[in-house]
Amino acid sequence: MAGPEIERLVQLLAKLPGLGPRSARRAALTLIKRREQLLDPLAGALAEAAAKVKTCHICGNYDSVDPCTICTDERRDTGIICVVDEVSGLWAMERSGLFRGLYHVLGGVLSPLDGIGPDDLAVGPLVTRAGAPGVREVILALSATVDGQTTAHYLADRLAPLGVTVSGLAQGVPVGGELDYLDEGTIGAALRARREIPR
Amino acid sequence: MAGPEIERLVQLLAKLPGLGPRSARRAALTLIKRREQLLDPLAGALAEAAAKVKTCHICGNYDSVDPCTICTDERRDTGIICVVDEVSGLWAMERSGLFRGLYHVLGGVLSPLDGIGPDDLAVGPLVTRAGAPGVREVILALSATVDGQTTAHYLADRLAPLGVTVSGLAQGVPVGGELDYLDEGTIGAALRARREIPR
């Protein structure tokens, strides 16, 4: 019904996370209708991202410079490395605004079923970085999934000989979370990690 | 936290229908991670759409040729014109595969609150087309909203002097729709338009 250019645009948009075939059609129509405000700027932004965005060779973050602005920021604590599975985890940590150390993006988690072993992830470079002088702690901020926690245990074993502190994010009730809507696993974890409330 | 190129990409993606700030971030990360399979082809498809997609000067459809392939398709019935508010409505009608006439895209619906009057829509060109020799029927396939139905009544008045049949889509229970999930307006419309079941 539409020209081949529109069909191809819809097919590519449908591959983005969060867009299905129907919303990809709506997105394509919105782009074509708002050509000057949206389509042309987006085409330019994609071309610029393709040309300028690099992967930081130290931590794996995406930035327009390599090493990235986090790795070269002198105000950050180079003694703590926070390990995340993907760049999205790094962004989530940065949004919290609480972590002032450096990062290490693994590029995924161990998954025997999908054939993803330690050699497919940035495990070797992490061990090298964690063994450098001045590194005191490695925080494993991996997803609280089976694969994520398996990966955390594996990394803790690999990092143990280095003598650095290896920690993980606390598990418990999310802020604003109602007990009624939480799964049993989360409630159990929060109960096991209960803390005395200071008087 | 990310470079300005990534921030700009996220901001533009968040303007697409169906993508909020969070899913736009996920989409941007997916694009950057899958550069060769997704980012580069999408940038190319957008540039090609910007260069080639035109608005048909007859019906308002988007296509790479003007007049569009529907307007120039000799197998289609030029005696019936289906009026839709946007190109998305035209695509939806085409997906049904049942309509073999021509289209007319209004470019919106009348909306006094938003200051959209008849001169902001392709009403004049519709009256001209509907008055041409050989046109037998105009189907008003507008949304079943207040503004859509107001527009349909207005168009029916404007088209009445031309002597063509003016029809509208039937209202009723959608196929596969469960009564329990339908609003009272739809049930009322379906009841008023009830039909005797042939024996």
Side-chain angles (χ1 to χ4, degrees), chain A residues 116-127:
Chain A
I116 298 175
D119 294 340
D120 302 308
L121 308 174
V123 172
L126 170 65
V127 176

Side-chain angles (χ1 to χ4, degrees), chain A residues 1-6 8-10 12-13 15-19 22-23 25-35 37-43 45-55 61-64 69-70 86-92 94-95 107-108, chain B residues 1-6 8-10 12-13 15-19 22-23 25-35 37-43 45-55 61-64 69-70 86-92 94-95 107-108:
Chain A
M1 63 198 159
E5 296 83 12
I6 302 180
R8 183 160 162 69
L9 185 57
V10 171
L12 285 166
L13 287 171
K15 290 184 185 170
L16 294 179
L19 285 183
R22 187 178 293 259
S23 46
R25 278 199 302 267
R26 282 178 58 215
L29 280 172
T30 304
L31 282 164
I32 293 168
K33 193 171 184 186
R34 302 181 56 202
R35 185 173 300 193
Q37 303 91 349
L38 204 50
L39 196 156
D40 291 342
L42 183 59
L46 285 168
E48 198 163 308
K52 294 201 182 161
V53 174
K54 305 167 183 69
T55 303
N61 186 18
Y62 297 136
D63 204 336
S64 42
T69 44
I70 294 178
E86 300 281 1
V87 176
S88 53
L90 188 160
W91 289 11
E94 284 295 285
R95 280 199 299 280
Chain B
M1 64 196 157
E5 297 83 12
I6 301 180
R8 183 161 162 69
L9 185 58
V10 172
L12 286 166
L13 287 171
K15 290 185 184 170
L16 293 180
L19 285 184
R22 187 177 290 260
S23 46
R25 278 199 303 268
R26 282 179 57 216
L29 280 173
T30 304
L31 281 164
I32 293 167
K33 193 172 183 187
R34 300 181 57 203
R35 184 172 300 193
Q37 304 89 354
L38 204 50
L39 196 156
D40 291 342
L42 183 58
L46 285 168
E48 197 163 308
K52 293 200 183 165
V53 174
K54 304 169 183 70
T55 304
N61 187 18
Y62 298 135
D63 204 337
S64 42
T69 44
I70 294 178
E86 300 282 1
V87 176
S88 52
L90 187 159
W91 288 10
E94 284 295 284
R95 281 200 297 279

